[in-house]
Amino acid sequence: MASRPTVVLIPRWGSGHFMSALEAGKKLLATGDGAFSLTVLVMHAPTQEKASEVEGHVRREAASGLDIRFLQLPAVEHPTDCVDQVEFVFRYIQLHAPNVKAAIDGLAPSSRVVAVVVDFFFTALFDVAHELAVPAYVYFTSPAAFLALMLRLPALREDMTGPGFENTERALDVPGLPPVPPSCMPVCLVKSRIQNYDTFEYHGRRFMEARGVIVNTTVELEASVLAAIADGRCVPGRPAPALHAIGPVIWFEPKDGHRHECVRWLDAQPPASVVLLCFGSMGTHDAAQVREIAAGLEQSGHRFLWVLRGPPVAGTRFPSNANLDELLPEGFLEATAGRGLVWPAWAPQSEILSHAAVGGFVTHCGWNSVLESLWFGVPMVPWPLYGEQHLNAFELVAGVGVAVALEMDRKKGFFVQAAELERAVRSLMDGASEEGRKARAKASETSAEFRRAGGEGGSSCAALKRLVVEILDLS
Ligand code: UPG
């Protein structure tokens, strides 16, 4: 019997990465139309919370009836003495390499592996793919702008990690973007985090070895950055990696049948009147910043839905459910009753963004949140926190034009004053504001573009078809 082709996907734990990669895998599967199956190698997430999250996803997806096989990789020791999470992930992945090789070896002879697709933090696994002579692809869950920056890190090392970077105002050159002020560079990559810089630079170099980089974006959204990468402007003198812009890849959490309290509250609000504030799976603010947000929202006079989480659960980076009595200033809930809802726990973000009452989104700029917002044509106020989010925020305001800028005090841990939040919310939500009107029109245009890109004849649909042909031709 002829051995059946399969594409091996190795996603990272955490919904933002895991479900994005899986949805991308499903798009490949659908485009391949039975030409190959999908095999997902599932790593043990390093924390119990993330492990349960992944287990839930796998259980649900395994029951979907699609041609997807989930293989659990054996657990490995946790590396110790890591300076931070970036180093931990890097070393943790290296420890998985022998198990990944054994798992892929074990697929033969019933399945012929035609491609291996790895999360962008997992480039160390290219060695396994090379050893097995299987084409390796990267799945990039962040914008192409961050990909451009990662490719560019060797050239920017002196600028970003040299003395004085923290105080300089000299803009940096990320090809395809307007000049980027230092305050908009990812905080994880500045001088004080030299080890992170080394790790991201390592991944950036290894992307050049990939058969292709599959990016969760569209050619319409990030045209100039994608062109800059493709033209070789990020790494002069080296052939640029092949890019496949197949986005937007968005995972919509299945509804569980009951109408969430946030959604029921929105049902009673006028169209496009509510600003949503939500800061992702790990975003929290300290007590002083929470008070400032409350004051800004109260002064803005606008309707709001604020997903407010408590401090991280001990020993984790994940927020607890907020104790509103402790966190919110006295009298705030009474003063904003009827026009504001503060939700203290995980909220159904994409369902909220799809609601007609939502007219704006103050977001931490995690790329999945950004794509969800644009899918529903909702303009944003970026409030970046960690990871690559500061760069995403810059691109949304200065590059794409779907967001109204928020001034953050870089010297004070990116603190935002109440008056500044009030100004940005008014600017986003007031029909009379030129800035807000432009962002809204561009977000609505992007929403239409997104829907076209994924449809028959659209750019992302065409990119997927080309990718599938390439994978099958290579095999
Ligand atoms: N979400 C909810 N309810 C909440 C909070 C979040 O449904 O109360 C969902 C949200 O809809 C989105 C996901 O959780 O689907 C969050 O994803 P994302 O917006 O990408 O944020 P992070 O989880 O912080 O994502 C990580 C990085 C981010 C990066 C992203 C993709 O922190 O910087 O852009 O991965 O690489």
Side-chain angles (χ1 to χ4, degrees):
M1 197 180 80
S3 122
R4 180 161 154 63
T6 193
V7 169
V8 170
L9 180 66
I10 315 182
R12 184 184 157 156
W13 56 90
S15 296
H17 282 249
F18 192 87
M19 284 314 296
S20 178
L22 199 54
E23 287 301 308
K26 285 190 206 168
K27 280 179 185 276
L28 275 177
L29 201 59
T31 310
D33 195 21
F36 51 79
S37 66
L38 189 66
T39 303
V40 182
L41 302 189
V42 183
M43 273 180 202
H44 281 271
T47 65
Q48 191 43 52
E49 195 173 4
K50 290 281 125 183
S52 319
E53 189 180 87
V54 168
E55 268 167 37
H57 290 318
V58 170
R59 212 175 309 117
R60 189 191 56 250
E61 298 295 328
S64 69
L66 293 172
D67 199 358
I68 308 177
R69 169 172 36 178
F70 291 90
L71 295 180
Q72 181 68 54
L73 291 168
V76 299
E77 292 282 312
H78 284 197
T80 50
D81 307 326
C82 297
V83 293
D84 61 16
Q85 182 69 7
V86 173
E87 188 195 351
F88 175 88
V89 173
F90 185 67
R91 289 175 48 199
Y92 191 60
I93 297 317
Q94 285 177 321
L95 294 174
H96 278 84
N99 298 337
V100 168
K101 181 168 184 292
I104 296 178
D105 266 341
L107 291 170
S110 62
S111 293
R112 187 163 46 89
V113 178
V114 288
V116 174
V117 183
V118 303
D119 184 275
F120 77 90
F121 282 103
F122 291 4
T123 61
L125 298 178
F126 283 178
D127 295 335
V128 175
H130 297 338
E131 217 176 302
L132 298 171
V134 178
Y137 290 83
V138 174
Y139 179 61
F140 204 78
T141 50
S142 286
F146 188 48
L147 173 62
L149 175 63
M150 285 180 75
L151 292 168
R152 188 88 186 132
L153 287 178
L156 292 177
R157 174 174 278 274
E158 215 30 56
D159 287 332
M160 284 178 74
T161 63
F165 177 74
E166 250 93 355
N167 298 314
T168 179
E169 292 305 323
R170 195 159 51 87
L172 294 141
D173 172 32
V174 179
L177 285 182
V180 187
S183 57
C184 299
M185 279 295 168
V187 275
C188 61
L189 288 179
V190 298
K191 180 172 161 267
S192 49
R193 304 280 189 87
I194 189 78
Q195 193 151 354
N196 282 356
Y197 199 97
D198 295 345
T199 307
F200 279 93
E201 188 180 319
Y202 165 91
H203 292 308
R205 286 187 200 278
R206 296 219 68 177
F207 292 162
M208 308 295 286
E209 290 168 33
R211 182 67 186 79
V213 183
I214 306 166
V215 195
N216 190 5
T217 192
T218 64
V219 288
E220 292 79 11
L221 184 69
E222 295 197 270
S224 56
V225 177
L226 289 165
I229 300 172
D231 291 354
R233 271 179 275 155
C234 292
V235 192
R238 295 271 313 274
L243 298 177
H244 306 276
I246 65 159
V249 178
I250 300 175
W251 175 62
F252 292 106
E253 199 166 359
K255 297 183 187 166
D256 62 4
H258 96 288
R259 217 161 161 72
H260 193 274
E261 195 173 323
C262 290
V263 179
R264 280 190 277 127
W265 182 81
L266 287 170
D267 288 343
Q269 311 304 320
S273 67
V274 175
V275 61
L276 166 69
L277 294 89
C278 188
F279 299 94
S281 49
M282 290 182 283
T284 54
H285 291 111
D286 64 19
Q289 185 65 86
V290 168
R291 282 195 298 277
E292 213 67 16
I293 296 175
L297 289 175
E298 190 174 339
Q299 288 154 23
S300 79
H302 280 281
R303 293 172 197 271
F304 62 85
L305 168 45
W306 179 11
V307 181
L308 170 62
R309 309 298 304 275
V313 174
T316 79
R317 296 170 71 202
F318 301 101
S320 53
N321 288 349
N323 179 337
L324 297 186
D325 292 336
E326 261 175 28
L327 278 171
L328 290 171
E330 224 180 298
F332 172 75
L333 290 175
E334 293 73 17
T336 56
R339 72 171 171 93
L341 176 67
V342 184
W343 184 254
W346 184 263
Q349 183 182 286
S350 54
E351 193 181 352
I352 291 170
L353 284 167
S354 75
H355 200 289
V358 173
F361 183 18
V362 179
T363 169
H364 76 313
C365 297
W367 193 238
N368 296 293
S369 295
V370 168
L371 295 179
E372 289 162 18
S373 197
L374 292 175
W375 180 258
F376 294 111
V378 177
M380 289 163 270
V381 164
W383 187 322
L385 298 173
Y386 48 87
E388 89 293 21
Q389 294 154 14
H390 285 262
L391 186 71
N392 302 355
F394 173 76
E395 186 183 30
L396 294 177
V397 175
V400 188
V402 288
V404 167
L406 180 74
E407 280 293 319
M408 313 183 89
D409 191 340
R410 182 188 177 200
K411 301 240 155 58
K412 288 194 184 141
F414 293 94
F415 195 78
V416 176
Q417 303 285 347
E420 172 56 9
L421 178 63
E422 175 195 345
R423 184 205 59 76
V425 166
R426 282 182 193 268
S427 181
L428 183 72
M429 302 299 286
D430 280 350
S433 144
E434 172 76 8
E435 212 187 359
R437 267 210 317 271
K438 277 192 181 155
R440 186 169 309 281
K442 185 70 190 171
S444 153
E445 197 184 299
T446 306
S447 170
E449 260 169 22
F450 271 11
R451 287 157 200 262
R452 277 197 299 274
E456 195 52 44
S459 59
S460 297
C461 178
L464 268 165
K465 284 183 181 166
R466 281 194 302 272
L467 179 57
V468 164
V469 167
E470 178 180 292
I471 287 174
L472 290 170
D473 269 354
L474 284 171
S475 61

